[in-house]
Amino acid sequence: MLLTATRTSAPARPRRACDASLVAALLSGGDDRIAADPVSGRNRYGLTARPAPDETFFSSSTASAITPRGWHAAATAWRRLHADDPRQRLSFPAWFDDIRRRVAAYAGAGEAILTASGTDAEFLALAIADHATGRPITNIVVGPGETGRGVALAAGGLIFQSSARHRRLAGWEDHDIAVETVEIRDADGLPRPSAEVDAEVLAKAEAALAQGRAVIAHLLDVSKTGLSGFSRAAALDLRARAPAQVFVLADCCQMRGTPSHIAEMLDGGFLVAVTGSKFFCGPPFCGALLLPEAFRARLGNFRLPEGLAAQTAFYDWPAPLRDGSEGFGSHANIGLGLRWEAALAEMDAFRAVPPALAENIARSFRALAIAGAHEAGLRLLDESGQGADWARTIVPIAAPGSAQQAADLQRALRRPAGAWGNAARIFHIGQPVAVGPDQALRVCLGAPVVSDIAALCASGVPFERALSPLAADLSALFAKWKFLLNARP
């Protein structure tokens, strides 16, 4: 349930009470995956809602705990929302306008619509294509096993329900929405040639267009394991063939690309799905759909379907897109706003890092991760790193055994396993992903580590010395990994 925008004029609270209310707010406005277990205080990802400085995070392809920098930004906004002085108090319209502006400005988008997750951005793309064309829609999902678990369902207008049959979003019950999928790996888990993936997407799109249907084609910028699928050149070619009927949705939810890279997607006329909760390590469930400047003219008299309005908030939307719709779930999703404040703090810090230094840190991370995996006797998948440079900050490693055993190993890494130093430490890595016959666990670099190393360098610390804490953490991770495998019966 969304946390509503009701305000009281209560007196200032002690810091501890303020922190507790901030935690409750940060956990609101998502789904049950971020709800905290009452015993452990952790969500389904094994994360706390507060910073966890004694835990080590290489899990940015899945989720990370809020960083100290992000916590400070969220706490500052939370206090301003409750300020006694009206001159200092944030108003909800101004606050959300500023968040959307900052998210859009990161890559020069025309507008940003806030979403709880990248999966929810799929519903928005469907609503936009439906409004702009009024045609039956074929939605082509690329790499369905390497995107969010609900993407393929949302692509068909279906709501993910773990304990019931999936159902269509209210307002789309009778809509003709077909979902096609294109794999980015073969049956053995090897990456398919880019030209082969492009050809399959184009063939399916052409068949749909020939039937008078509108097409949404996914461009998977960076997958869960660092691959991409459907090239920008092929996507531009497809749009040129039928610009009024074709929509390209660039899945940039990992956010492992420079602002200029994302801007290129927008310049191509693509819708772009982003999150602040992967590479930038904001709390889970802060996403957005970026709209190119040219889309404004196509969205006149835009009205949201009933079901989509009910699961979003009024201020998630820019004024021109929300004013004709009714039935919003609340005025303001405060939890979403606070999670974006945390993510934006990390985005600002990362953007200040000199690009050459950031790239050097990324290359060093990958080299250290590969060397550590080999030292522990682990098998790497896609060791050459076939994606773009920043996609290579995801290092997929084969986990022996079944999917359940891989998940058990990932959970074991984030639990103390005895008194021995490295075994007692808590490490977070990316959840397992099926790659052909293998299960891949993922060791990932997050932007906060880059920013922190860069800050040390800026203070005069030599690069190798600034890098040494990261090297030590990776060494300790793989030592525990090896310990756990050797301890198996």
Side-chain angles (χ1 to χ4, degrees):
M1 179 180 295
L2 301 181
L3 189 66
T4 57
T6 302
R7 184 192 305 283
T8 62
S9 56
R13 290 160 289 182
R15 178 172 294 276
R16 181 170 295 182
C18 182
D19 286 357
S21 64
L22 174 56
V23 166
L26 283 165
L27 295 176
S28 70
D31 68 20
D32 58 1
R33 282 173 286 178
I34 60 171
D37 179 86
V39 176
S40 68
R42 296 179 182 269
N43 62 25
R44 286 197 199 175
Y45 300 112
L47 307 174
T48 62
R50 301 172 186 266
D54 295 331
E55 302 177 17
T56 304
F57 293 88
F58 294 115
S59 55
S60 60
S61 61
T62 296
S64 308
I66 190 170
T67 64
R69 186 162 34 231
W71 174 267
H72 175 74
T76 299
W78 186 238
R79 286 192 294 270
R80 290 194 63 199
L81 286 168
H82 293 85
D84 291 330
D85 186 345
R87 294 169 298 179
Q88 298 298 321
R89 188 183 305 152
L90 276 175
S91 73
F92 288 106
W95 183 40
F96 278 96
D97 283 349
D98 182 62
I99 291 170
R100 290 196 315 275
R101 178 192 61 76
R102 291 163 65 196
V103 173
Y106 185 79
E111 298 281 7
I113 305 168
L114 303 185
T115 69
S117 69
T119 301
D120 290 330
E122 188 71 45
F123 287 133
L124 304 190
L126 268 176
I128 288 169
D130 181 46
H131 170 82
T133 69
R135 295 172 180 257
I137 296 171
T138 294
N139 204 338
I140 305 172
V141 180
V142 176
E146 297 208 23
T147 60
R149 66 173 181 165
V151 167
L153 289 171
L158 296 171
I159 297 173
F160 178 84
Q161 294 176 260
S162 57
S163 59
R165 191 176 69 173
H166 307 307
R167 59 181 175 82
R168 272 280 175 86
L169 201 71
W172 285 343
E173 293 90 345
D174 299 324
H175 277 45
D176 182 354
I177 306 170
V179 178
E180 299 275 359
T181 60
V182 175
E183 299 295 341
I184 57 175
R185 295 182 183 271
D186 63 22
D188 295 322
L190 297 175
R192 294 178 65 192
S194 177
E196 188 176 293
V197 173
D198 286 352
E200 185 175 350
V201 175
L202 291 173
K204 292 187 174 188
E206 287 286 7
L209 291 170
Q211 297 170 20
R213 305 176 70 88
V215 169
I216 301 173
H218 286 227
L219 186 159
L220 182 54
D221 183 53
V222 177
S223 78
K224 289 182 176 181
T225 61
L227 294 185
S228 59
F230 194 39
S231 69
R232 179 170 173 267
L236 289 169
D237 177 54
L238 176 59
R239 280 201 72 244
R241 297 182 194 188
Q245 292 172 248
V246 171
F247 300 81
V248 175
L249 175 58
D251 181 349
C252 297
C253 288
Q254 284 289 333
M255 287 290 272
R256 294 177 194 272
T258 61
S260 61
H261 173 73
I262 298 173
E264 287 177 355
M265 304 288 185
L266 292 161
D267 290 344
F270 306 164
L271 302 168
V272 179
V274 299
T275 68
S277 55
K278 295 298 190 290
F279 179 63
F280 289 110
C281 298
F285 281 71
C286 56
L289 184 69
L290 305 182
L291 308 183
E293 187 72 33
F295 258 80
R296 290 180 177 176
R298 301 187 67 180
L299 294 177
N301 301 315
F302 183 74
R303 290 183 64 85
L304 285 168
E306 175 188 346
L308 185 54
Q311 67 181 47
T312 59
F314 185 78
Y315 292 126
D316 292 349
W317 296 79
L321 301 183
R322 71 191 182 214
D323 290 344
S325 298
E326 299 176 345
F328 288 97
S330 77
H331 272 83
N333 185 340
I334 298 173
L336 177 58
L338 292 169
R339 293 190 291 273
W340 262 117
E341 286 283 3
L344 284 162
E346 292 297 348
M347 291 166 72
D348 291 344
F350 178 77
R351 200 166 189 179
V353 177
L357 176 58
E359 291 163 10
N360 195 12
I361 294 168
R363 284 193 299 270
S364 299
F365 162 81
R366 184 172 182 85
L368 288 166
I370 289 174
H374 284 315
E375 178 68 22
L378 304 176
R379 179 167 61 89
L380 282 90
L381 302 172
D382 305 332
E383 184 168 342
S384 61
Q386 301 204 17
D389 285 345
W390 279 95
R392 295 173 186 166
T393 55
I394 299 175
V395 179
I397 298 172
S402 65
Q404 184 60 54
Q405 287 173 311
D408 289 344
L409 176 59
Q410 189 234 6
R411 283 191 289 269
L413 284 166
R414 66 178 192 236
R415 291 195 298 262
W420 173 63
N422 290 329
R425 291 184 59 179
I426 294 174
F427 294 96
H428 298 259
I429 62 173
Q431 291 176 337
V433 177
V435 177
D438 294 309
Q439 291 291 321
L441 293 171
R442 297 161 292 150
V443 178
C444 314
L445 180 67
V449 174
V450 178
S451 301
D452 290 347
I453 293 173
L456 288 174
C457 293
S459 71
V461 176
F463 178 76
E464 291 301 326
R465 186 174 156 199
L467 194 70
S468 60
L470 171 62
D473 284 343
L474 284 167
S475 178
L477 164 67
F478 288 114
K480 181 171 181 176
W481 197 319
K482 184 176 181 178
F483 170 84
L484 292 171
L485 291 178
N486 290 338
R488 279 184 173 182

